Amino acid sequence: MLSSALSSYWIVICFLLGGAYAYILYAYGSKPWSKKWNIALFTLRFIGITLVAYLFLEPFLSTRTTESEKQNIVFLWDNSQSINNSVNDEELQTIWGNVNDVAQKLESEKNVKVDIINLSGETVISSDSVSQNAVLSPIDPALKDISNNYKNQLLAEVVLFSDGIFNRGISPEYYAYPFQLSTIGIGDTVEKQDVELKSLRYNKVAYQGNKFPIVAEVVQNGWKDRSTTVELFKNGILAEKRVVDFETDNSIKQVEFLIEANEKGFQSYAVKIKPFADEFNKNNNQKIAYVNVIEGKKKVLLLGRAPHPDIKALQQSITNNENYELSLVVNGLHQYKEDDYDLVILFHLPDDNNTFQNEIQKLADRNTSFWFITGPGTNVNRINNINRSLIIAPWNDTDQASVYICTNFNPFELTSEQAGNLQNLPPVDVPFSEAKANVRSETLLYKQIGSVKTDQPIFTFFADDEVRQATLLMEGFWKWRLVEHLNTGNYIFFDEWVMKTIRYLTSKNDKNQFKLYPEKEEFSSMEEINFQVELYNQVYDKIYGIPVNLQLRNESDSVFNFQFTPDRVQPNFVIGSLPAGVYKYTGQTKIGGKGYTASGQFVVSDFSIELQNLVADFELLKRVAKKNEGRYFEVTEMDSLYNYLFNRDYPQIVTGQLQKKPLTENYWLYLLIFLILFSEWFIRRYFGSY
């Protein structure tokens, strides 16, 4: 359809212009051509001028195009190791060939698009890409990814080819997916003769000189009146062994090893069950325990003016950590015991009643680290005498306020995801007064009134070569712990800020200009190893751009060397995943021509969850298919699957689109105008006129 940007009434003007121009030129005077040629020239001039005028109306041509959209069928292929260990390669290739044949026949005969993808969302295009090496079976996340990736397309059905074993995410039977879902069972559901080391129970931290237990839980099926040996290896050397007798066909046995912690640092203890010759799955017969043997617990004293729910919240966080020994002394309830404490928490102390005043003064004289927590009855003057983190002004009233985290705080980081939910926690009581932080102090939390963020410090830290201190100006934070558990089901954020505070205050002052340490002490063999790097100049300002050499050495004396240069964008170093084992690391660098070294240990745990259970769960697949209005098929029923999918209707969606193209972009229109005007000129010239 032909239209223009201006009103179509302007076309009349174009005709009038064309007619007037031709009339003036050919209606008057004698002409050297006949009347018929005059009419022809008049017509050519009229059409040419009219077309030129029409171009000024910005004409365009509207065309409607239609296209049909095919529906999609997704074949989701479970590429986990559990299938690979229960189905041989030849059978697996046969299954893949049948799956691919069904997909191709559906595409050619039903005019649908069939995508074959694995649990990671990668396209499986040939037998060479059918790899069964995934160390996890995230069935539910994979199905949800399909829902997200195809939400703007026509998704007719999803067909899951799996053994029904999942070990990541929730069970797929608990979720109704927004598409029809059928399932195909691959694998073997028959219980085989097997002995499995189901679990190891042990404390990850032990104290040097003490004994600690490792309890192995042995599960067996089909080995009545047989026995086997459970062996314990320390750092690869056989340390102990136990004989286990099986009186019935199915049983669970617990084998306990009592080990003495002699050597400091991470120790690996491998527990192995000697397999039977005809055992079905020999991959689940061993596990490794990594135990960190440390010198002793840090001693923390919590002195309280009176019972308070905040004290209970602190006590619960501290006692959950095996690295710390908490002594709780509340006035009137407990007896104070003098000891070499690494940290003293003064809860609402010193006070006006001189509670524990002599004890506090003795601790201060020994440069003990203090954590001051203010509240009702706190004697501000006495706190200011021994507190070096900030100066507090007296107060008679409190505010209900929220707090926010300072992003420039350096002593430690609150890296938990729950840290972002601090604003959702209830307000606390803070003093209605002002506090002035020491110029060498750093503040973690500031006061926030409503949505207004103030510069009033609430939680401040101080450290020098002699002592470390912190001051917390708030009361009622026990509610944070309860509300966090109500919202998330755990205490991760609360325990994190409490324990990182205690860890910082009990650690020795480290003015080393080079610090290198792993992000955590234990990684899985699937994780990337992330090293934190800190470089400082002589005035202890952070610096960047200096090369760092890192060497890792595992238990078998394999050496891994790395070199990297931290910068402001990438201050830390990610070295990728590593094989399981205990690793000792040594980092070296030079700052101002002087060499620095940092060293330590970390653990990489083996992650072979896929090899623990090889018995397929077809009942789960049946329930999933029924809940999502699909069908369940055995892998041998590929013809039935094809017939089921072939007999379904897959109506295509026809969509139309209106396209507008300006006539001024078409060269043929200009050519037409040129030919018209050229023809007129040629005829006039032929008859001897211009």
Side-chain angles (χ1 to χ4, degrees):
M1 184 176 65
L2 193 60
S3 305
S4 65
L6 300 178
S7 172
S8 29
Y9 291 111
W10 283 95
I11 299 177
V12 177
I13 304 299
C14 296
F15 279 107
L16 291 176
L17 285 173
Y21 201 109
Y23 182 81
I24 293 172
L25 191 60
Y26 293 103
Y28 301 101
S30 60
K31 303 292 187 291
W33 48 75
S34 66
K35 186 177 181 181
K36 289 182 178 180
W37 281 110
N38 196 61
I39 293 173
L41 292 170
F42 178 93
T43 303
L44 290 173
R45 178 57 61 102
F46 169 75
I47 294 173
I49 298 303
T50 300
L51 288 175
V52 171
Y54 184 63
L55 292 179
F56 285 97
L57 301 184
E58 300 180 22
F60 56 85
L61 189 63
S62 300
T63 58
R64 180 173 293 275
T65 59
T66 59
E67 59 181 16
S68 58
E69 184 180 354
K70 294 181 180 180
Q71 294 213 36
N72 292 271
I73 297 176
V74 177
F75 286 178
L76 181 59
W77 180 266
D78 185 347
N79 60 321
S80 58
Q81 291 177 349
S82 58
I83 291 181
N84 191 46
N85 283 270
S86 58
V87 180
N88 60 53
D89 291 341
E90 184 178 348
E91 185 179 352
L92 200 60
Q93 290 297 326
T94 302
I95 294 172
W96 158 251
N98 294 334
V99 171
N100 192 46
D101 289 344
V102 170
Q104 291 182 351
K105 288 167 65 177
L106 287 172
E107 285 190 331
S108 61
E109 298 175 12
K110 294 295 289 185
N111 197 24
V112 294
K113 186 175 183 295
V114 182
D115 293 332
I116 306 178
I117 62 175
N118 59 28
L119 296 178
S120 302
E122 301 166 340
T123 302
V124 183
I125 56 177
S126 66
S127 58
D128 295 335
S129 60
V130 182
S131 59
Q132 301 296 132
N133 54 9
V135 296
L136 287 172
S137 296
I139 294 179
D140 174 68
L143 290 169
K144 289 177 178 176
D145 285 343
I146 291 175
S147 176
N148 294 331
N149 296 336
Y150 285 83
K151 61 184 177 182
N152 294 325
Q153 302 178 43
L154 296 172
L155 190 56
E157 185 146 1
V158 175
V159 183
L160 171 64
F161 297 82
S162 175
D163 54 9
I165 300 172
F166 69 94
N167 43 47
R168 183 180 179 185
I170 65 172
S171 172
E173 66 177 312
Y174 295 146
Y175 190 81
Y177 300 96
F179 44 73
Q180 197 160 318
L181 175 61
S182 293
T183 55
I184 310 296
I186 303 176
D188 194 347
T189 60
V190 178
E191 291 275 357
K192 301 292 194 303
Q193 284 186 304
D194 189 29
V195 177
E196 178 187 357
L197 181 54
K198 192 71 175 178
S199 66
L200 289 180
R201 298 201 306 272
Y202 61 95
N203 292 329
K204 292 188 176 183
V205 177
Y207 298 96
Q208 195 171 14
N210 293 345
K211 290 187 177 183
F212 64 93
I214 294 181
V215 180
E217 187 177 69
V218 181
V219 179
Q220 64 88 19
N221 177 61
W223 301 104
K224 182 180 179 181
D225 298 329
R226 301 284 295 273
S227 62
T228 188
T229 304
V230 182
E231 300 173 325
L232 173 71
F233 294 82
K234 178 185 177 182
N235 297 329
I237 301 173
L238 179 64
E240 293 184 56
K241 60 183 179 180
R242 302 272 194 279
V243 176
V244 181
D245 298 318
F246 304 129
E247 296 85 8
T248 62
D249 278 335
N250 295 279
S251 63
I252 300 176
K253 296 282 187 177
Q254 290 189 347
V255 181
E256 180 175 331
F257 297 96
L258 194 62
I259 305 159
E260 187 167 354
N262 294 323
E263 300 177 44
K264 197 169 68 170
F266 279 103
Q267 311 295 325
S268 66
Y269 298 91
V271 179
K272 300 180 181 180
I273 304 173
K274 279 194 173 180
F276 295 101
D278 50 350
E279 187 176 339
F280 172 64
N281 181 14
K282 298 179 182 180
N283 294 310
N284 56 7
N285 285 33
Q286 67 176 24
K287 289 184 182 294
I288 300 178
Y290 295 101
V291 179
N292 188 11
V293 179
I294 60 178
E295 288 186 21
K297 295 183 178 183
K298 297 279 189 181
K299 294 182 179 181
V300 179
L301 171 65
L302 201 167
L303 281 179
R305 178 174 176 267
H308 195 284
D310 283 346
I311 294 179
K312 185 65 175 177
L314 291 171
Q315 181 185 19
Q316 289 173 329
S317 291
I318 300 171
T319 54
N320 285 339
N321 193 304
E322 296 179 348
N323 294 335
Y324 298 91
E325 178 184 328
L326 176 67
S327 298
L328 176 61
V329 179
V330 177
N331 184 37
L333 298 179
H334 309 96
Q335 187 69 33
Y336 174 80
K337 179 182 177 182
E338 190 168 338
D339 203 342
D340 291 327
Y341 295 107
D342 297 285
L343 171 66
V344 177
I345 304 174
L346 297 179
F347 189 83
H348 300 179
L349 293 172
D351 64 356
D352 296 328
N353 297 326
N354 295 328
T355 306
F356 298 119
Q357 185 59 35
N358 293 332
E359 291 83 353
I360 293 174
Q361 189 59 51
K362 288 181 181 179
L363 292 166
D365 293 340
R366 294 201 294 263
N367 287 329
T368 306
S369 294
F370 282 127
W371 180 3
F372 302 95
I373 302 178
T374 63
T378 301
N379 189 303
V380 173
N381 293 328
R382 288 176 180 162
I383 282 187
N384 289 337
N385 287 336
I386 57 176
N387 184 7
R388 300 170 65 181
S389 60
L390 48 73
I391 300 297
I392 310 170
W395 72 88
N396 296 317
D397 203 355
T398 59
D399 273 339
Q400 282 275 308
S402 301
V403 298
Y404 70 94
I405 297 175
C406 174
T407 56
N408 296 324
F409 184 74
N410 290 314
F412 56 82
E413 279 186 288
L414 296 179
T415 56
S416 168
E417 293 179 1
Q418 282 75 14
N421 297 326
L422 183 60
Q423 300 302 315
N424 298 325
L425 297 177
V428 290
D429 293 326
V430 300
F432 189 70
S433 69
E434 291 187 0
K436 185 177 181 181
N438 188 309
V439 292
R440 297 180 61 183
S441 295
E442 294 196 60
T443 299
L444 173 63
L445 300 178
Y446 285 98
K447 181 177 179 181
Q448 178 173 330
I449 304 296
S451 60
V452 179
K453 295 182 177 180
T454 72
D455 58 357
Q456 181 67 30
I458 296 297
F459 198 9
T460 301
F461 291 76
F462 171 84
D464 62 11
D465 294 334
E466 297 178 351
V467 70
R468 291 192 173 195
Q469 294 182 345
T471 305
L472 180 63
L473 303 175
M474 67 180 185
E475 182 190 13
F477 51 83
W478 62 270
K479 292 178 284 188
W480 287 5
R481 185 176 174 89
L482 294 183
V483 172
E484 182 186 3
H485 188 270
L486 180 66
N487 293 337
T488 65
N490 56 56
Y491 308 103
I492 293 178
F493 172 67
F494 188 92
D495 289 349
E496 185 172 291
W497 73 265
V498 170
M499 292 315 303
K500 285 195 172 182
T501 297
I502 290 176
R503 192 175 300 121
Y504 174 77
L505 294 175
T506 55
S507 62
K508 297 179 180 179
N509 290 321
D510 184 9
K511 289 296 182 181
N512 195 342
Q513 291 177 237
F514 173 52
K515 297 179 183 179
L516 176 72
Y517 49 92
E519 187 180 51
K520 52 186 180 180
E521 291 183 335
E522 185 172 351
F523 300 87
S524 78
S525 55
M526 292 179 57
E527 289 184 280
E528 291 184 325
I529 314 300
N530 188 354
F531 271 87
Q532 310 262 347
V533 187
E534 298 177 25
L535 299 166
Y536 299 92
N537 57 21
Q538 291 184 347
V539 294
Y540 217 63
D541 291 329
K542 272 194 175 183
I543 55 178
Y544 304 91
I546 297 177
V548 175
N549 295 309
L550 172 65
Q551 184 181 88
L552 306 180
R553 186 183 298 272
N554 62 13
E555 299 160 296
S556 59
D557 266 351
S558 297
V559 177
F560 306 84
N561 290 303
F562 306 90
Q563 186 181 70
F564 60 99
T565 302
D567 55 37
R568 292 183 183 273
V569 179
Q570 273 305 350
N572 301 326
F573 182 56
V574 179
I575 63 176
S577 57
L578 292 171
V582 176
Y583 288 83
K584 295 181 179 179
Y585 67 87
T586 303
Q588 294 180 329
T589 190
K590 283 189 175 182
I591 303 175
K594 182 180 178 182
Y596 291 87
T597 301
S599 60
Q601 287 182 309
F602 66 92
V603 167
V604 178
S605 302
D606 190 20
F607 196 88
S608 56
I609 191 171
E610 274 292 314
L611 304 180
Q612 304 305 309
N613 178 25
L614 302 180
V615 180
D617 190 352
F618 290 172
E619 292 302 318
L620 171 71
L621 297 177
K622 291 176 182 178
R623 294 193 298 270
V624 170
K626 183 178 180 180
K627 184 168 187 174
N628 293 277
E629 301 178 355
R631 294 271 300 276
Y632 169 78
F633 301 92
E634 299 284 348
V635 73
T636 56
E637 300 177 303
M638 295 303 293
D639 290 339
S640 299
L641 171 65
Y642 169 74
N643 293 331
Y644 162 71
L645 295 174
F646 180 82
N647 291 327
R648 288 195 57 193
D649 291 328
Y650 301 102
Q652 297 184 4
I653 302 298
V654 179
T655 58
Q657 186 175 4
L658 188 64
Q659 294 182 338
K660 296 180 179 180
K661 185 176 182 181
L663 285 181
T664 53
E665 295 181 1
N666 295 317
Y667 72 90
W668 58 264
L669 184 59
Y670 298 101
L671 181 60
L672 176 62
I673 294 173
F674 172 76
L675 290 175
I676 291 172
L677 297 178
F678 178 78
S679 299
E680 181 201 7
W681 173 82
F682 182 80
I683 294 171
R684 289 170 59 88
R685 185 86 168 114
Y686 178 79
F687 286 104
S689 176
Y690 294 96

